[in-house]
Amino acid sequence: MEGLLLTQSSAPIVGQISWLLGHLMNGIFSVLSNVFHIENIGICIIIFTVIIYTLLLPLTYKQQKASRLTVVMNPELRRIQNKYKNKKDQASMMKMQEETKMVYEKYGTSMMGGCSMLLIQLPILWGLFYVIRSIPAYVQGIKDVYMPLVEQLLSTDGGQKAMEAIGKTSAIAMDPSRYDFSKANTMVDALYKFQESSWNTLADKLPDLESVIRSTQESLVHLNSFLGINIAETPMNLLMNSLKTGAIVTAILALSIPVISGLTQYISMKFMPTATPTDNESSDNTMANSMNATMKIMPLFSVVMCFTFPSGIGLYWIASAVVRMIQQLAVNKYLSKISLEELIEKNQKKAAKKREKKGTNAKKLSEMAQVNARRIEEPKPKMTEEEREKALERAAEKSKNAKSGSLAAKANLVKQYNENNHKDSQK
């Protein structure tokens, strides 16, 4: 794609999100550089995170509110599940789904209310991944740092071949058969992935350009360095390289990114209100089990992925978890001042307005509002043999006193006729 670096995402939705986030990141970098004379991608990522989660605050509030309402809805939802527990036919499944939907309608929320934050965050995370993985593709100020060296490499004999040879290495992973190193954008893509050893190799191959190579390398230190860590490199590469060179401090810093990321993710999820089943409720609460599993898996997922993603992704995860914790504390404090009844009433009114706009039938809405799953009867236990005999005796006694012409009286006549025939056949 001409005019864009190769690593810019062109995927549907994610590509557009990356483009938008790239402009935001470029704007933050420009303001910090021109106004405050600060040029650091790590600080840009932190400011970027604060801005993004401030914009997502309404969704955070909605998620916390939905979690609080779930505590009230869970007993009703669980009774519906128990009612259709052993019914696997399509009609029963559709009825269960309809009754479940009615409960959500009654409380003015939706089945996806608690998941909206996660669903929206995922494409943002992937969009940010492309931005951080290819900062020069989106931040013009970073790309400009590479351009003097790129121009020298393209105009020097052997410059392109030297870059192609380094591009084949596992650290860069840009094979010349797939990437055209005669283009400036490809050169910038490759240079952004350079590690300490890559810069040394390039300087050895092109001694005439060593001065511009070293000046470019030094210029990038304050841009990509955050607390002594190169956020363009993965923690795994930083850890392995530091262990080889004996840089223990760098190894500890590289290891701390995934660990702190997982820890902050876990603490952040602990602040989220969850519905726990009470003693008299079924233990197979699908929602609670799903939430508990998510609380265990997400932090571990964060740790594993942080090792393989650029360190900037880990920095984003840490910053986002801290911002979420602050927001959740503030939202929880605000919600604690509102009674549950008031919250349900407001939610129902808001949901009613939305339904009116959609033109939902008023009679149907009234039926939905009157649904109370608490009144759903549990299946009656099976009768014992003694209880069955007593029930049959009561039925027989009742049938003897049946009115003339009734179904019971006619049934007695049929029964008496059959008994007489049976006696005659035995004589």
Side-chain angles (χ1 to χ4, degrees):
M1 188 184 298
E2 291 295 331
L4 297 176
L5 295 198
L6 298 176
T7 44
Q8 272 197 320
S9 172
S10 58
I13 300 177
V14 175
Q16 284 74 17
I17 291 175
S18 299
W19 178 85
L20 183 61
L21 297 181
H23 276 284
L24 177 59
M25 186 74 77
N26 185 57
I28 294 171
F29 181 85
S30 298
V31 171
L32 287 178
S33 177
N34 298 327
V35 179
F36 301 100
H37 305 292
I38 297 174
E39 296 180 333
N40 188 277
I41 295 300
I43 296 175
C44 287
I45 290 174
I46 293 174
I47 296 174
F48 169 87
T49 305
V50 173
I51 293 174
I52 289 296
Y53 276 89
T54 300
L55 295 175
L56 293 177
L57 185 57
L59 287 175
T60 303
Y61 172 74
K62 184 178 179 181
Q63 183 188 32
Q64 300 291 78
K65 187 172 65 173
S67 298
R68 193 177 179 195
L69 288 172
T70 300
V71 177
V72 183
M73 293 189 299
N74 264 358
E76 299 187 32
L77 296 172
R78 209 156 10 252
R79 287 186 178 90
I80 294 175
Q81 292 173 359
N82 291 337
K83 178 182 177 182
Y84 297 97
K85 187 173 183 180
N86 298 319
K87 299 178 181 179
K88 303 298 181 183
D89 57 288
Q90 186 176 0
S92 298
M93 297 299 289
M94 289 180 67
K95 286 182 180 178
M96 183 179 74
Q97 186 176 3
E98 184 179 353
E99 291 182 22
T100 301
K101 184 179 179 181
M102 286 180 178
V103 173
Y104 279 97
E105 288 280 355
K106 185 176 67 171
Y107 287 98
T109 184
S110 64
M111 297 182 185
M112 300 299 292
C115 304
S116 58
M117 189 67 177
L118 181 61
L119 292 175
I120 292 177
Q121 186 183 359
L122 283 176
I124 291 176
L125 178 61
W126 279 111
L128 181 67
F129 167 73
Y130 282 106
V131 173
I132 294 176
R133 189 185 69 172
S134 315
I135 287 289
Y138 300 92
V139 181
Q140 186 63 40
I142 303 296
K143 182 181 179 182
D144 292 341
V145 176
Y146 289 95
M147 288 312 295
L149 174 59
V150 170
E151 291 170 0
Q152 290 287 333
L153 289 170
L154 291 174
S155 62
T156 301
D157 291 337
Q160 181 177 331
K161 289 185 177 180
M163 286 295 295
E164 288 176 350
I166 297 174
K168 293 179 181 179
T169 61
S170 58
I172 310 303
M174 292 179 63
D175 195 290
S177 61
R178 296 174 55 231
Y179 295 92
D180 186 1
F181 279 82
S182 65
K183 294 182 178 180
N185 284 345
T186 307
M187 288 278 196
V188 176
D189 278 341
L191 288 170
Y192 183 68
K193 296 183 178 182
F194 267 34
Q195 302 174 10
E196 183 71 26
S197 58
S198 306
W199 289 107
N200 294 335
T201 302
L202 184 63
D204 292 340
K205 287 180 176 291
L206 302 169
D208 293 341
L209 299 181
E210 184 172 3
S211 60
V212 67
I213 291 172
R214 295 305 181 188
S215 63
T216 303
Q217 183 183 4
E218 291 173 4
S219 298
L220 293 170
V221 170
H222 74 280
L223 291 173
N224 292 329
S225 179
F226 185 79
L227 299 178
I229 298 174
N230 184 353
I231 62 173
E233 291 192 44
T234 66
M236 181 63 74
N237 284 339
L238 290 170
L239 181 62
M240 298 304 295
N241 292 334
S242 59
L243 290 176
K244 289 179 182 178
T245 59
I248 304 300
V249 175
T250 305
I252 294 173
L253 290 173
L255 188 62
S256 67
I257 293 178
V259 173
I260 295 175
S261 175
L263 184 61
T264 52
Q265 292 285 332
Y266 178 77
I267 296 174
S268 173
M269 298 189 78
K270 276 290 187 180
F271 278 100
M272 294 176 61
T274 56
T276 55
T278 57
D279 295 337
N280 61 341
E281 291 174 344
S282 173
S283 60
D284 57 345
N285 182 2
T286 306
M287 295 181 184
N289 293 338
S290 177
M291 180 59 71
N292 290 333
T294 302
M295 289 184 66
K296 294 176 182 178
I297 293 173
M298 285 302 292
L300 293 176
F301 174 80
S302 175
V303 171
V304 174
M305 298 307 290
C306 269
F307 272 107
T308 57
F309 283 176
S311 299
I313 294 291
L315 179 60
Y316 164 76
W317 266 333
I318 294 171
S320 64
V322 173
V323 173
R324 279 203 310 273
M325 280 189 278
I326 296 172
Q327 288 184 342
Q328 285 164 0
L329 285 172
V331 171
N332 288 342
K333 187 175 181 180
Y334 172 75
L335 287 175
S336 64
K337 298 178 181 179
I338 305 175
S339 66
L340 195 57
E341 292 75 13
E342 184 182 354
L343 185 64
I344 294 173
E345 185 180 353
K346 287 182 178 180
N347 231 36
Q348 287 175 336
K349 289 180 179 179
K350 188 180 292 185
K353 289 181 180 179
K354 288 182 180 179
R355 290 192 295 259
E356 285 176 6
K357 289 181 180 179
K358 294 179 181 179
T360 309
N361 184 277
K363 184 178 178 181
K364 186 177 179 181
L365 291 177
S366 178
E367 292 173 355
M368 288 180 179
Q370 293 172 4
V371 170
N372 192 339
R374 292 191 181 95
R375 297 179 181 176
I376 296 174
E377 295 181 359
E378 300 291 345
K380 294 181 179 180
K382 293 182 179 180
M383 290 189 296
T384 63
E385 193 63 33
E386 184 180 351
E387 290 173 339
R388 188 186 298 277
E389 291 292 335
K390 289 181 179 180
L392 290 173
E393 289 176 4
R394 288 195 298 270
E397 187 66 28
K398 194 173 182 180
S399 65
K400 289 179 181 179
N401 302 322
K403 293 182 180 180
S404 177
S406 66
L407 288 175
K410 292 177 181 179
N412 286 337
L413 289 174
V414 173
K415 181 181 179 183
Q416 187 176 358
Y417 175 79
N418 290 335
E419 288 177 352
N420 292 336
N421 283 344
H422 181 68
K423 290 177 181 179
D424 292 340
S425 65
Q426 288 181 338
K427 288 181 180 181

